[in-house]
């Protein structure tokens, strides 16, 4: 793709300087027409797989869930809901009263907090550990490519399988308790359950983080380090003044991906604890709500989406994690 | 995703960059939303249109090929049954559509096909907790008038689980009930009541093992166990009209017994993480005196080489307030879709499923508890499966789990509050009244 664009650019440039600009303009017009024709299939595809479900879900979120007609015992259409489905979650109102414990509505803000807690802790741990692994993998040593491949194994295992593995490890008679000779109810009490999930998540996704950072590290030319050495910079100075700033674009993209991923976290807590003991994330809430009523679930999905969108926006806008452009233009931009 | 832009002209690069980011926001936004929402995209339609009047009246005389839908056939009984049927009905062939063995996935698959009014899902196996929901959505053919079918000779509780709003919607296919497994070597006569069982816990303590465990992790199994405690002490979760009626002194006493046993340590602390398998493994390793579980444990505990209780396994009905307790009922029913084109054939197939011959085949071939009452007293079958007699008592005293179209919300209300009560995070009284309000908020009022 990159060669395509660079090759084409000079030709267009040349066309501008050619005599007879009209023909060049026409050429551009026809090119533009061609471009839209060629782009149409992918745009239509995007429309079908992305725009339609999104719009449909937003429309659904303003409909009431079907209610039971006490006279017949059958469900009837709920009709328009206004913002009721949204206030149900945000204000935790169930039909005009505060949602009692044991309803999904009562869990919204708890799950909201839990989701962000998991995101903050897991991404922080994964960044630090991933960086460390990347620095090691960036050195040249025998069997480096084997290590790089091996590191990907936890990432390659399907999350559901990982979750089941850790579920057995953290069972009361599981390996974790046997190994440390403890009697902790890992999945049966609040903080152990949270840490069990964090440990499993860090184990699974640190390699992904490490490889993304490694890609960033390898873009830094060796000459820069050599020059710094000649100038007498210490290892710490080389790390903070060269490695960190130069790897920052790749690092921010890696963090952005992980944050978006972690905010959607579902499989690990769902399989390990079923959301019990304060480990219910927003995605778990959505899935549980789908079984109780699609329209209320659509409202929750939309809320979840907006939350994730705002977080992504903050990252891209203020922290310079531009997933599309920054990775390639690198440090040059600043 | 890396896009290399022409770098000879800074202006171009800058412009394109901005253009790209502008494009990126809505695109990224849309894709994230699509990911979060894709799960419910299929749910547009919502309800099946009230009473489903016209669909329920159509095709009552239709005959021809039908499809039977059921979860994974682990006991290998469905295919032989269908082969036999097909041999006798060359013009009304049955095709078997096998789903996964995950209950949630089976439920969602059925819902999607009902919503799409799929005429190719004619007859389906329905977990008894879904019957009310599917019936209230107007998806199940009422089995009355032309579609009437006799349920004589079937266990009363299983027929109750097939009934919604005084109309029969399914017929029971297989049944299941909880039983008390105990150590014959330590307890010569099994306890008849809960209090008696608790008084025997000193025996467990002397032998340095746990006293009692059922399924107490926060999942469907806790609903089963909590409902058993509540029903055994005379409480009721929802009444016949589907109204939540759990807020009673009887329900509080029942749930209180569970909470008290956990607090005393009569239910070991780790049991709060137990589903069926963890409990069974513990019991089989000889670490539990009493264990509540389903009939499937019998075969494993008596035949597995690792089982420490092979020769000392005792079996009794669940203990209750003053006699046998009220087991929660498990099992699967069979219903006909209102969208089926060949309902006359479907009805014949239902009759075939509840025939004595088929019911007997379920026991002998698949070790599945039948819904037909008299088979529990059949000497030949009892010789093969000695637990049948105990299981009969259990099912005779069983209460179907709450029959309500709001089952997912009701079971959540029970699980969340029973779990909090057992762990002592919440007083039993407020747990029960929260259960009541949570069910009412969901619509069960």
């Amino acid at each position: 793709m990159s060669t395509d664009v660079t090759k084409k650019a000079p030709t267009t440039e040349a066309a501008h300087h050619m005599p007879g600009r009209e023909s060049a303009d026409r050429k551009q017009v026809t090119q533009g027409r061609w471009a839209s024709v060629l782009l149409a299939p992918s745009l239509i595809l995007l429309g079908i797989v992305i725009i339609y479900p999104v719009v449909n879900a937003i429309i659904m979120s303003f409909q009431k869930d079907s209610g039971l007609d006490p006279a017949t015992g059958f469900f009837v259409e709920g009709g328009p809901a206004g913002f009721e489905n949204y206030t149900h979650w945000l204000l935790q109102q169930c039909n005009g009263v505060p949602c009692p414990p044991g309803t999904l509505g009562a869990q919204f803000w708890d799950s909201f907090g839990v989701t962000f807690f998991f995101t903050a802790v897991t991404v922080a741990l994964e960044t630090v550990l991933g960086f460390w692994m990347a620095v090691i993998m960036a050195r040249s040593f025998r069997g480096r490519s084997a290590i790089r491949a091996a590191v990907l194994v936890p990432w390659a295992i399907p999350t559901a399988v990982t979750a089941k593995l850790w579920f057995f490890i953290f069972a009361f008679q599981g390996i974790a308790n046997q190994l440390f000779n403890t009697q902790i109810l890992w999945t049966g009490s609040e903080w152990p359950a949270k840490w069990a999930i964090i440990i499993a998540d860090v184990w699974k996704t640190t390699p992904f983080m490490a490889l993304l950072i490694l890609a960033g590290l390898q873009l830094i030319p060796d000459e820069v380090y050599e020059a710094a050495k000649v100038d007498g910079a210490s290892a710490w100075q080389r790390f903070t003044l060269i490695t960190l700033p130069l790897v920052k674009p790749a690092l921010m993209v890696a963090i952005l991906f992980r944050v978006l991923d972690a905010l959607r976290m579902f499989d690990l807590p769902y399989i390990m604890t079923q959301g019990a003991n304060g480990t219910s994330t927003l995605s778990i809430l959505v899935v549980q709500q789908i079984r109780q009523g699609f329209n209320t679930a659509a409202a929750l999905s939309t809320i979840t989406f907006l939350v994730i969108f705002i977080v992504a926006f903050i990252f891209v806008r203020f922290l310079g994690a531009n997933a599309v452009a920054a990775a390639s233009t690198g440090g040059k931009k600043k | 995703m890396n896009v290399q832009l022409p770098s000879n002209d800074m202006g171009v690069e800058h412009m394109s960059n901005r253009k790209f980011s502008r494009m990126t926001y809505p695109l990224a936004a849309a894709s994230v939303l699509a990911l979060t929402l894709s799960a419910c995209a299929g749910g547009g339609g919502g309800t099946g249109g009230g009473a489903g009047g016209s669909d329920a009246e159509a095709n009552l005389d239709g005959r021809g090929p039908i499809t039977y839908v059921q979860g994974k056939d682990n006991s290998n009984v469905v295919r032989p049954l269908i082969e036999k049927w097909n041999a006798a009905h060359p013009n009304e062939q049955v095709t078997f559509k096998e789903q996964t063995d995950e209950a949630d996935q089976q439920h969602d698959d059925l819902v999607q096909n009902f919503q799409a009014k799929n005429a190719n899902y004619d007859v389906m196996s329905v977990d008894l907790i879904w019957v009310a929901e599917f019936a209230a959505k107007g998806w199940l053919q009422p089995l009355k008038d032309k579609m009437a079918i006799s349920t004589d000779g079937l266990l009363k509780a299983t027929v109750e689980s097939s009934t919604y709003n005084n109309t029969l919607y399914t017929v029971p296919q297989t049944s299941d009930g909880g039983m008390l497994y105990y150590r014959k070597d330590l307890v010569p006569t099994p306890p008849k009541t809960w209090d008696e069982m608790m008084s025997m816990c000193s025996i467990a303590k002397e032998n340095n093992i746990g006293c009692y465990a059922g399924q107490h992790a926060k999942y469907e199994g806790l609903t089963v166990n909590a409902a058993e405690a509540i029903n055994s002490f005379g409480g009721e979760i929802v009444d016949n009209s589907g109204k939540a009626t759990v807020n009673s002194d009887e329900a509080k006493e029942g749930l209180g017994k569970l909470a008290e046993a956990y607090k005393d340590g009569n239910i070991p602390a780790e049991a709060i993480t137990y589903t069926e398998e963890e409990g069974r493994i513990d019991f089989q390793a000889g670490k539990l005196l009493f264990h509540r579980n389903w009939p499937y444990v019998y075969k494993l505990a008596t035949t597995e080489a690792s089982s420490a209780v092979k020769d000392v396994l005792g079996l009794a009905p669940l203990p209750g307030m003053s006699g046998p307790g009220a087991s929660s009922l498990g099992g699967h029913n069979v219903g006909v879709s209102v969208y089926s084109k060949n309902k006359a054939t479907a009805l014949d197939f239902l009759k075939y499923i509840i025939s004595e011959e088929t019911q007997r085949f379920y026991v002998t071939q698949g070790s599945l508890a039948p819904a037909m009452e008299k088979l529990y007293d059949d000497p030949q079958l009892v010789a093969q499966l000695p637990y049948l007699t105990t299981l009969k008592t259990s099912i005779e005293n069983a209460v179907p789990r709450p029959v309500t179209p709001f089952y997912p919300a009701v079971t959540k209300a029970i699980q969340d509050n029973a779990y909090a009560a057992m762990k002592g995070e919440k007083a039993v009284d407020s747990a029960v009244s929260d259960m009541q309000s949570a069910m009412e908020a969901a619509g069960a009022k």
Side-chain angles (χ1 to χ4, degrees), chain A residues 54 57 66 73 75 77 173 188 301, chain B residues 29 33 37 47 136 164 282 419 423:
Chain A
V54 169
S66 53
F75 279 106
E77 295 286 351
Q173 289 127 338
S301 298
Chain B
L33 182 58
L37 296 187
T47 57
Y164 171 67
D282 233 18
Y419 193 76
K423 292 187 73 181

